[in-house]
Amino acid sequence: MKESVKLIANNKKAYHDYFIEETYEAGIALHGTEVKSLRMGKCSIKESFIRIEQGEVFIYGMHISPYEKGNIFNKDPLRVKKLLLHRSEIHKIAGRIAVKGYTLVPLKVYFKGSLAKVEIGLAKGKKLYDKRQDIAKKDQRREAERDFKVKNLY
């Protein structure tokens, strides 16, 4: 019984700006029209962030476009959404965030079976020189792949 995973939104910027140390899968508390809009792929998590408040986890700035046929039932696209995690996971994450320099960032939004999920990452910020090193490595890898492709054509 393999569950299908359908990717809705990906946060590539998070991988560029942070070192991702751990990932967690969390459910999202949504209203009906938000789910329909997610099924159509209308979601953005580029500017979103996650906070833990009073033992609960919330995602801020996650934009889910209003559903066209939802009229009065549509909610605010930028409303704060609650993430669903086990209490032990929340305590573990809160303990790690208390260490200076750690933050929670959303990495992916996807459907797992019929449930909307968010993959969140425990991350540490990169410095400018770390970002430059990553870009240099990516360029080297791209150049090596290009050379390999050219050699195999002849």
Side-chain angles (χ1 to χ4, degrees):
M1 300 254 300
K2 184 182 173 188
E3 290 189 23
S4 63
V5 175
K6 181 187 169 204
L7 185 66
I8 299 164
N10 198 0
N11 191 356
K12 292 180 182 178
K13 191 172 187 230
Y15 290 101
H16 182 266
D17 292 343
Y18 300 99
F19 292 114
I20 308 299
E21 302 206 355
E22 288 182 41
T23 60
Y24 298 92
E25 183 180 72
I28 319 171
L30 296 172
H31 293 281
T33 55
E34 291 176 323
V35 176
K36 290 182 177 191
S37 190
L38 271 184
R39 289 211 184 277
M40 293 172 60
K42 309 244 176 166
C43 176
S44 172
I45 55 172
K46 283 185 176 27
E47 300 296 322
S48 59
F49 59 96
I50 299 171
R51 281 198 183 139
I52 297 177
E53 297 170 357
Q54 299 163 2
E56 294 182 331
V57 184
F58 295 96
I59 186 166
Y60 293 82
M62 177 178 170
H63 187 278
I64 298 178
S65 298
Y67 183 60
E68 299 121 25
K69 301 178 181 105
N71 57 40
I72 62 167
F73 300 108
N74 281 331
K75 299 288 181 187
D76 176 32
L78 288 172
R79 79 176 181 86
V80 178
K81 294 153 193 74
K82 184 176 177 181
L83 297 182
L84 310 171
L85 285 162
H86 290 284
R87 188 169 311 236
S88 59
E89 286 179 318
I90 294 172
H91 290 309
K92 182 179 175 185
I93 294 170
R96 295 288 301 269
I97 288 180
V99 176
K100 190 170 186 256
Y102 281 101
T103 186
L104 276 178
V105 291
L107 303 173
K108 295 178 192 169
V109 178
Y110 55 93
F111 275 104
K112 189 173 184 181
S114 63
L115 303 173
K117 301 281 185 179
V118 176
E119 184 176 285
I120 60 177
L122 187 66
K124 193 166 193 130
K126 284 185 181 178
K127 304 283 189 234
L128 184 60
Y129 56 84
D130 291 328
K131 293 178 189 178
R132 287 184 184 145
Q133 284 176 345
D134 284 351
I135 292 169
K137 284 180 190 174
K138 196 182 288 183
D139 287 343
Q140 278 182 329
R141 187 178 50 84
R142 196 178 298 124
E143 195 67 37
E145 287 175 0
R146 190 178 300 131
D147 291 345
F148 182 72
K149 186 177 178 183
V150 170
K151 287 177 185 175
N152 285 342
L153 288 176
Y154 298 111

